[in-house]
Amino acid sequence: MSSPDLTELERQAVLDVVQTRHLSMGPKIKEFEVAVSGFVGSKYGIGVNSGTSGLHLCLLAAGIQPGDLVLTTSFSFISSSNVILYCGAIPIFVDVDPRTGNIDPVQLEQAAADISAGGEQARKWLPRKGAENAGELKAILSVDVFGQPADHDEINRIAKKYNLIHIEDSCEALGSTYKNKKAGTVADFGVFAFYPNKQVTTGEGGMIVTDNEEAAVYMTSLRNLGRSVGDTWLSHTHLGYNYRLNEMSAALGVAQMSRIEQLLASRAQVAKWYFERMSDIPSLSLPHITDTTSFMSWFVFVVHLNNLTERERLAEALSLVNIPVRPYFIPIHIQPYFVKLFGYIAEDFPNTLSLGQRGLALPFSGVMTEEQVDYVAQQIKQSL
Ligand SMILES: Cc1ncc(COP(=O)(O)O)c(C=O)c1O
């Protein structure tokens, strides 16, 4: 499906670390934090061992407590909702814009207004079960789906109006811009992820970005088992986690960040080849880039068919010619444990369900050649 874009520079960077004695908590993590926060223009970068752990720490820094409600989207990678559950809080799903898959600000505002009003009005947004001890509405966790920023001016306006903290899951969006502002920097907190299919990889890893100094200090402590400045190795001010990013990964990240423009440009080129070859296939919708996206950093290339049957047929045909494809995303509200915990049915979020049934991610990475894109496009045309 994807392949990391690595050169001798990255290999040497990792080797250099292995030749020192600092495999963790050395100088590379700081360098990587400066590289990422400098690139996006935020005051603080906090390196962690995954995007998931980064999101978890943001929720803790936002003060999310058991029973709290967090508005978010079911059309996402599972982590963005899991971290809400890690805090004992309750994800409240809002349906998405069918063109982009990003949270729909109109419905988001309605949800915030109804939940803040309480009573019957609030109840219609709560799940059928699992919300008996529902507490206060505290935050919005938005997701920049497939690398495209959500409508953050609107989300921030709603957050301000209802006194909510806004956490941006920008795990898929490093380098994208929303109205010329870098993804990850438009909310109170942003998080990037560096799994090997991402624009920049560290093998495993993540980075929180924020301008909030107090929260940055707190999250830096939490990622290191709650040790605060001045604590010794065996004293722990807070209940923390081992969410540290190791030095080999950080060094790989520094090397990747030194050529990020190149990494983003090759992915954009592959996306362009796909567009050029597939824009004339009537039964296939190509990714929709909205006006507010001033730069698109391509994470995956997801096309949509007219319905589930057509999607399954195409997936089957492509797998027969060794082209790997994946349904993308399978909505969170229909994952078995979400159904068990909260009693959701698939139709609760119709736009999310429809995208989930029709979307197919094609092979995509910055190292794909024009011939490979050609082959995929030809096979798609033939199958359809
Ligand atoms: C939208 C989204 N959120 C969170 C994550 C979690 O990142 P990680 O896999 O590094 O934990 C990912 C990564 O795939 C993602 O795509």
Side-chain angles (χ1 to χ4, degrees):
M1 281 299 292
S2 91
S3 181
D5 183 341
L6 301 175
T7 63
E8 196 46 36
L9 182 75
E10 282 85 356
R11 283 184 274 277
Q12 194 55 51
V14 175
L15 266 181
D16 287 348
V17 172
V18 179
Q19 279 154 6
T20 73
R21 292 188 301 168
H22 291 285
L23 306 188
S24 185
M25 301 178 76
K28 286 295 162 188
I29 183 156
K30 188 78 226 159
E31 238 184 274
F32 186 41
E33 288 171 345
V34 168
V36 176
S37 58
F39 172 71
V40 298
S42 61
K43 281 196 191 148
Y44 305 98
I46 301 133
V48 284
N49 58 4
S50 72
T52 308
S53 45
L55 288 168
H56 184 199
L57 295 189
C58 292
L59 289 179
L60 294 171
I64 302 303
Q65 304 275 339
D68 285 347
L69 307 180
V70 179
L71 290 166
T72 191
T73 165
S74 163
F75 193 66
S76 174
F77 185 68
I78 196 72
S79 299
S80 59
S81 284
N82 277 356
V83 294
I84 299 172
L85 298 183
Y86 296 169
C87 297
I90 304 167
I92 301 294
F93 293 129
V94 172
D95 211 352
V96 296
D97 179 331
R99 293 163 308 169
T100 60
N102 279 327
I103 201 160
D104 174 2
V106 175
Q107 296 192 55
L108 182 68
E109 180 152 32
Q110 194 59 55
D114 287 346
I115 293 170
S116 303
E120 263 316 297
Q121 255 168 292
R123 220 156 293 145
K124 68 180 185 226
W125 292 94
L126 300 184
R128 289 180 184 78
K129 58 178 188 171
E132 293 75 17
N133 299 319
E136 251 183 272
L137 178 61
K138 287 274 182 63
I140 299 172
L141 196 159
S142 66
V143 180
D144 297 332
V145 170
F146 306 153
Q148 174 149 243
D151 193 352
H152 291 297
D153 278 355
E154 276 300 285
I155 298 170
N156 284 334
R157 184 183 61 74
I158 297 161
K160 197 164 171 209
K161 187 166 165 190
Y162 294 96
N163 197 23
L164 306 173
I165 290 176
H166 178 195
I167 296 153
E168 181 188 359
D169 178 345
S170 43
C171 283
E172 303 186 347
L174 181 65
S176 281
T177 60
Y178 171 81
K179 299 185 182 175
N180 296 317
K181 285 174 276 190
K182 285 268 184 355
T185 66
V186 289
D188 297 296
F189 304 100
V191 180
F192 301 111
F194 307 117
Y195 187 73
N197 61 352
K198 297 292 191 299
Q199 293 89 331
V200 157
T201 187
T202 60
E204 294 282 359
M207 181 78 64
I208 303 162
V209 289
T210 185
D211 285 345
N212 180 331
E213 184 179 356
E214 194 187 334
V217 169
Y218 183 51
M219 292 188 286
T220 304
S221 164
L222 291 190
R223 79 159 174 209
N224 188 20
L225 290 156
R227 294 182 184 100
S228 285
V229 180
D231 278 354
T232 61
W233 183 247
L234 292 177
S235 57
H236 307 266
T237 301
H238 305 291
L239 167 63
Y241 302 82
N242 182 351
Y243 282 172
R244 294 185 302 255
L245 182 69
N246 69 64
E247 287 289 285
M248 288 75 75
S249 292
L252 182 54
V254 171
Q256 290 256 285
M257 286 306 294
S258 75
R259 55 188 201 92
I260 183 158
E261 301 300 345
Q262 197 186 341
L263 295 175
L264 300 185
S266 9
R267 297 175 84 94
Q269 178 62 71
V270 173
K272 188 161 174 269
W273 287 330
Y274 268 131
F275 270 103
E276 284 166 0
R277 281 156 184 78
M278 302 197 302
S279 52
D280 58 346
I281 311 177
S283 48
L284 196 75
S285 317
L286 298 181
H288 173 81
I289 307 302
T290 58
D291 294 348
T292 52
T293 303
S294 34
F295 179 80
M296 179 70 187
S297 166
W298 288 90
F299 165 54
V300 279
F301 199 88
V302 178
V303 296
H304 289 90
L305 284 298
N306 289 322
N307 54 50
L308 179 63
T309 316
E310 284 183 23
R311 200 260 309 265
E312 299 300 277
R313 269 198 208 137
L314 179 60
E316 168 101 34
L318 294 176
S319 76
L320 290 176
V321 289
N322 294 321
I323 295 176
V325 288
R326 300 268 187 286
Y328 224 85
F329 295 109
I330 297 174
I332 294 173
H333 74 279
I334 59 172
Q335 301 289 347
Y337 65 102
F338 264 83
V339 172
K340 204 164 156 191
L341 278 172
F342 297 113
Y344 285 119
I345 56 169
E347 292 72 21
D348 282 339
F349 306 98
N351 294 340
T352 297
L353 180 66
S354 166
L355 288 175
Q357 290 180 332
R358 297 184 298 108
L360 196 66
L362 304 183
F364 185 77
S365 78
V367 296
M368 271 183 87
T369 62
E370 193 166 6
E371 290 69 36
Q372 289 175 321
V373 174
D374 242 347
Y375 179 68
V376 176
Q378 266 173 30
Q379 292 298 328
I380 290 177
K381 276 190 188 168
Q382 245 172 53
S383 313
L384 291 176

